[in-house]
Amino acid sequence: MAGGLNNLLRSALRTNLVVQQVRFYPRWSHRRPVKVHTPEEYEKLEKKSQSKGGAETVFDKYGGLKTTWNKPKEEEEGTDKPIKYKIKSKKVGKSLVATYQKSEVKSNPDMLETVIDGEGNFVYSKMKDNDQRVGTILTEIKSNKEKDKKDLILLEGKRLIRDALQSGCHLKYILFSRKSEVDFVKPFLPKVGAQLYKMPYREIQMWSELTTTPGIMGIFKKPDVDSFRPPEALPFTVICDNIREPGNLGTILRICAAVGCDRVILTKGCVNLWDSKVLRGAVGAHFKLRISKDFEWDQIEEAIAEDANFFIADNKIVSDSDEGGRDLAEVLEQIPVFPYHGLDFNASKHVVLIVGGETHGVSRSSYELALKSNGARVNIPLSNDVDSLNVGAALGVIAFEVKKQLVDRSTCG
């Protein structure tokens, strides 16, 4: 009798334990890191915290843990070996240190770099949560130093990846969670030379910069967009002067691609062309345009044909960053202002339109160049006391008017 009672009690306790585990399982099963920080990002966060009067960090709050990053030895030049980090604990101070770790993954490179086999099937590696290879690949692309050093870009979404493949960009990796996403880009995939990894959706979401990840990432070598020559381009160049907002630059590139511009030039001071927000805003325009970046104004003058006419999208904000030259008020008085629909762009053999940021405006050098080429300031008449437009909206209005006139000229000719 006593033995039966004991067995019954043990069974009840066991059942209660299982119930408790099931009860608390949903609380912990869906938990994941909010964001994965690279060493550079962590240093910025730590400096920001210290600048706010020494506010305590999450590491100080929970037991005094602190993360430090040991910089790995520089790789040999010309090699493509990724830098790998491993978290190790130190007894003194209870700190977490990320140190360089030699690769422990042995694989057949010929097999892994085969994207599609002879029968037309995908060749990929299937990975589980927290796979070391995923951390290695994405830490490399998330680190600004390593990304710039190896000229890599990260694209999210099947359409953006498709545009990059169509333009001939060199693919290194594709990370995906559903095979249907890869089927969309299959016609454009190289048969060899890249690596495909299938991984859980939650893992991709953890590394993604989007609120909801599309479930596919592509890592490419940066293309040489300055050497690209768009087919049937109009004699129309857009110069971006002090465009520092990533979303605005992305919109500008998208409009220029839609209009059919011959070239886009970015002056020094513009936001990084390959910023993730610029890539998303441009929606593939990077791979359909000739884009020259980090140009000084003397370089711009040399790069543009002598018979080109310069026009400035006038937003009535002038940057005082440039020094020297004649007095700005005197320069502005000599540059006529016309409504965008009142200009005859057909009279120019090549149209050059300068647009500036809403906050900083265009530089003094822009006005000097417009005056030198007998150009003009282009104004968009506004109603209801609206004093300005977003730079992307203003460019769209003017650029499509330029296209209308140039296309009519070629049709009549």
Side-chain angles (χ1 to χ4, degrees), residues 81-363:
K81 297 179 181 178
I83 288 181
K84 299 184 179 181
Y85 295 94
K86 183 178 181 181
I87 302 295
K88 291 185 177 180
S89 62
K90 283 186 175 181
K91 293 182 179 179
V92 181
K94 297 182 180 179
S95 62
L96 298 176
V97 183
T99 57
Y100 178 71
Q101 179 190 15
K102 293 183 179 179
S103 175
E104 298 174 357
V105 180
K106 296 181 180 179
S107 59
N108 184 347
D110 295 331
M111 186 63 182
L112 283 178
E113 293 188 358
T114 301
V115 179
I116 302 175
D117 63 18
E119 297 179 359
N121 299 315
F122 290 118
V123 179
Y124 60 86
S125 300
K126 190 172 181 179
M127 297 184 290
K128 298 180 180 180
D129 287 333
N130 303 319
D131 193 290
Q132 180 185 356
R133 290 167 292 180
V134 177
T136 299
I137 294 168
L138 291 176
T139 299
E140 182 178 284
I141 193 66
K142 292 283 184 178
S143 169
N144 291 329
K145 292 180 181 178
E146 289 301 313
K147 182 169 60 175
D148 293 339
K149 178 181 174 182
K150 298 189 177 181
D151 287 333
L152 298 175
I153 55 173
L154 173 66
L155 306 180
E156 292 193 60
K158 57 188 179 183
R159 288 178 177 81
L160 200 54
I161 293 172
R162 178 199 59 189
D163 290 341
L165 290 169
Q166 281 183 310
S167 67
C169 292
H170 179 208
L171 174 67
K172 286 187 67 87
Y173 306 102
I174 283 188
L175 310 174
F176 66 98
S177 61
R178 296 181 293 268
K179 190 172 176 291
S180 58
E181 302 293 336
V182 191
D183 285 332
F184 182 83
V185 299
K186 184 177 180 179
F188 315 102
L189 284 173
K191 292 191 175 181
V192 294
Q195 298 177 26
L196 271 62
Y197 294 104
K198 188 175 188 298
M199 53 194 290
Y201 182 84
R202 288 185 304 172
E203 190 84 359
I204 294 183
Q205 180 67 67
M206 186 178 72
W207 289 92
S208 175
E209 295 185 2
L210 305 178
T211 304
T212 304
T213 178
I216 183 170
M217 296 178 172
I219 298 175
F220 293 81
K221 282 280 190 181
K222 283 182 187 175
D224 182 13
V225 289
D226 196 12
S227 63
F228 181 72
R229 297 296 181 271
E232 300 180 1
L234 297 173
F236 183 21
T237 295
V238 173
I239 298 176
C240 298
D241 186 12
N242 287 320
I243 304 295
R244 302 182 185 182
E245 175 60 38
N248 285 344
L249 182 57
T251 302
I252 289 170
L253 295 177
R254 189 177 186 181
I255 291 170
C256 290
V259 169
C261 292
D262 177 62
R263 191 178 188 183
V264 176
I265 297 176
L266 311 182
T267 64
K268 282 193 173 180
C270 285
V271 66
N272 180 10
L273 175 63
W274 299 106
D275 183 272
S276 59
K277 291 183 180 178
V278 178
L279 284 165
R280 291 199 296 273
V283 196
H286 286 75
F287 314 113
K288 302 171 185 177
L289 285 169
R290 182 187 179 190
I291 308 173
S292 307
K293 61 178 183 176
D294 296 331
F295 266 48
E296 298 283 4
W297 283 101
D298 54 349
Q299 293 177 286
I300 292 175
E301 195 169 356
E302 294 174 2
I304 302 296
E306 293 182 0
D307 55 359
N309 289 107
F310 287 78
F311 300 91
I312 297 176
D314 186 38
N315 59 359
K316 300 180 182 179
I317 300 175
V318 181
S319 170
D320 295 326
S321 58
D322 293 342
E323 298 180 359
R326 67 187 75 186
D327 183 71
L328 183 58
E330 182 183 341
V331 174
L332 293 177
E333 287 177 2
Q334 299 180 62
I335 304 176
V337 182
F338 298 99
Y340 74 97
H341 50 75
L343 278 167
D344 182 13
F345 295 106
N346 284 322
S348 303
K349 291 185 177 180
H350 194 102
V351 177
V352 180
L353 179 64
I354 303 172
V355 294
E358 295 174 69
T359 304
H360 301 279
V362 295
S363 61

Side-chain angles (χ1 to χ4, degrees), residues 41-60 65-68:
E41 290 173 336
Y42 175 76
E43 288 174 5
K44 289 181 182 178
L45 290 172
E46 196 173 40
K47 289 178 181 177
K48 188 176 180 181
S49 174
Q50 292 173 355
S51 66
K52 291 182 178 179
E56 66 173 1
T57 65
V58 68
F59 301 105
D60 299 325
L65 287 175
K66 184 179 180 183
T67 302
T68 55

